[in-house]
């Protein structure tokens, strides 16, 4: 294993796992930011795609194993894998095994949202829940949107990743900010879509935030670095301006879901807003 990075916050252990690498169009990943700027931060390949990773998070506290995000859809076949240049050099399962866990040991799954690169392994090859002993936490808004998509968001939702969970009654549907365990809460982060949620861990006087696609990689820290994929860019900007200063002030560790190089980061003040510097845990 080369990716596993672990941090200890008070009684909690947080491990960044990976479900492999993929690539997306650099222009789509940086919205209205000119290529002349973003290409200096992350070099595109010959097809203008930039390298990304899928980085689920394992949070262990109070005897509970909590998995934030379940990785990349893996039943799309060769065409799907080629389109997104998926490389499963390591997987969610090799990572769990490396820390001595099996899918049966997961008590709680948090789906930040139901896009296929965030909840791809909610179900297994047989279409059954991958984590049979877990409740899967999702925002009501997100489940509703996934169940009745429109033309602009339909491609992001693959019913096989969430319908079996829905039909088995394993979703724990929450509305707004909700404490799941002492010190562990979900908080709505709309903008990328309406029903996205982040995860806030507070333990031993420290804070860690799994920020989902509010900030997909560390280079997306400046306020204006929204994605072309964001359905509500102005809302996204407002949510960033509300939370980034609070997280910076708290010295929070941020876990972005798609950074190709670093599992965690921390905000530093910049001319207009913030940049984010990498933080690496123990390996
Ligand atoms: Zn994503």
């Amino acid at each position: 294993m080369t990716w596993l990075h672990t941090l200890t916050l008070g009684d909690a252990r947080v491990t960044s796992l990976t479900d492999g690498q993929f690539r997306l169009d650099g222009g789509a990943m940086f919205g209205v930011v000119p290529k002349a700027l973003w290409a200096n931060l992350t070099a595109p390949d010959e097809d203008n795609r930039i390298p990304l990773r899928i980085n689920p998070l394992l949070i262990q506290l109070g005897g509970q194993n909590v998995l934030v995000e379940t990785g990349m859809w893996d039943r799309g076949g060769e065409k799907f894998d080629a389109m997104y240049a998926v490389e499963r050099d390591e997987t969610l399962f090799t990572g769990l095994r490396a820390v001595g866990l099996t899918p049966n040991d997961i008590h709680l799954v948090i789906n930040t949202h139901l896009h296929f690169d965030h909840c791809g392994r909610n179900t297994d090859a047989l279409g059954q829940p991958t984590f049979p002993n877990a409740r899967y936490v999702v925002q009501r808004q997100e489940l509703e949107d996934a169940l009745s998509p429109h033309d602009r968001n339909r491609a992001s939702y693959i019913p096989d990743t969430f319908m079996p969970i829905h039909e088995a009654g394993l979703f724990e549907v929450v509305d707004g900010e909700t404490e799941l365990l002492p010190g562990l809460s979900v908080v709505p982060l709309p903008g990328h879509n309406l029903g996205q949620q982040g995860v806030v861990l507070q333990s031993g006087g420290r804070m860690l935030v799994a920020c989902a696609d509010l900030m997909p990689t560390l280079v997306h820290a400046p306020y204006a670095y929204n994605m072309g994929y964001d359905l509500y860019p102005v809302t996204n900007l407002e949510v960033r301006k509300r939370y980034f200063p609070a997280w910076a002030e708290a010295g929070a560790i941020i876990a972005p879901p798609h950074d190709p190089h670093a599992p965690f980061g921390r905000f530093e003040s910049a001319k207009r807003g913030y940049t984010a510097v990498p933080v690496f845990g123990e390996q």
Side-chain angles (χ1 to χ4, degrees):
M1 296 297 299
T2 57
W3 181 265
L4 282 187
H5 300 267
T6 300
L7 290 175
T8 304
L9 283 80
D11 300 332
R13 263 172 80 82
V14 180
T15 305
S16 176
L17 307 168
T18 192
D19 203 33
Q21 307 179 62
F22 71 124
R23 288 168 182 262
L24 289 173
D25 183 80
M29 282 302 290
F30 288 97
V32 298
V33 178
K35 185 174 180 181
L37 293 181
W38 65 253
N40 288 328
L41 302 170
T42 178
D45 67 13
E46 62 279 8
D47 293 323
N48 205 46
R49 298 177 303 185
I50 61 164
L52 298 162
R53 263 192 185 279
I54 305 275
N55 300 330
L57 212 59
L58 174 70
I59 300 176
Q60 297 174 284
L61 83 162
Q64 302 282 298
N65 298 316
V66 181
L67 185 62
V68 181
E69 308 204 326
T70 64
M72 180 71 151
W73 173 242
D74 67 335
R75 281 175 276 153
E78 276 176 31
K79 203 173 143 199
F80 177 95
D81 285 0
M83 179 153 63
Y84 297 107
V86 179
E87 278 177 60
R88 296 186 178 85
D89 52 348
E90 295 177 37
T91 72
L92 179 58
F93 303 113
T94 56
L96 286 175
R97 207 175 305 134
V99 295
L101 297 179
T102 72
N104 291 342
D105 299 320
I106 301 298
H107 301 98
L108 205 58
V109 167
I110 301 176
N111 286 144
T112 63
H113 56 309
L114 296 173
H115 292 176
F116 62 76
D117 56 327
H118 293 262
C119 72
R121 296 193 195 263
N122 272 3
T123 55
D124 63 18
L126 301 173
Q128 299 297 315
T130 305
F131 308 96
N133 302 317
R135 293 172 292 140
Y136 289 64
V137 179
V138 69
Q139 289 284 328
R140 180 177 307 282
Q141 176 75 56
E142 180 61 2
L143 184 57
E144 284 173 4
D145 289 348
L147 292 173
S148 45
H150 50 67
D151 286 346
R152 181 65 170 77
N153 66 6
R154 185 170 285 112
S156 302
Y157 293 116
I158 296 177
D160 284 348
T161 62
F162 55 84
M163 283 309 291
I165 308 300
H166 185 48
E167 284 163 0
L170 291 179
F171 272 129
E172 178 171 332
V173 178
V174 296
D175 265 314
E177 187 166 348
T178 305
E179 188 176 62
L180 302 176
L181 295 171
L184 188 76
S185 298
V186 289
V187 49
L189 300 176
H192 179 58
N193 62 10
L194 281 184
Q196 178 175 256
Q197 62 185 351
V199 181
V200 178
L201 168 69
Q202 287 184 287
S203 180
R206 297 176 68 196
M207 181 192 281
L208 180 138
V209 180
C211 63
D213 279 338
L214 181 66
M215 188 176 87
T217 78
L218 294 180
V219 299
H220 283 85
Y223 284 137
Y225 281 40
N226 300 286
M227 292 188 283
Y229 295 111
D230 296 332
L231 294 178
Y232 305 91
V234 176
T235 304
N236 203 55
L237 185 60
E238 287 167 358
V239 171
R240 290 168 146 248
K241 286 193 165 176
R242 173 169 167 209
Y243 282 107
F244 285 8
W247 294 340
E249 176 88 3
I253 302 282
I254 310 296
H258 295 312
D259 198 282
H261 307 299
F264 308 108
R266 195 194 301 275
F267 284 117
E268 280 188 352
S269 291
K271 224 196 298 174
R272 274 188 231 107
Y274 299 94
T275 55
V277 295
V279 172
F280 294 91
E282 305 149 33
Q283 273 204 294

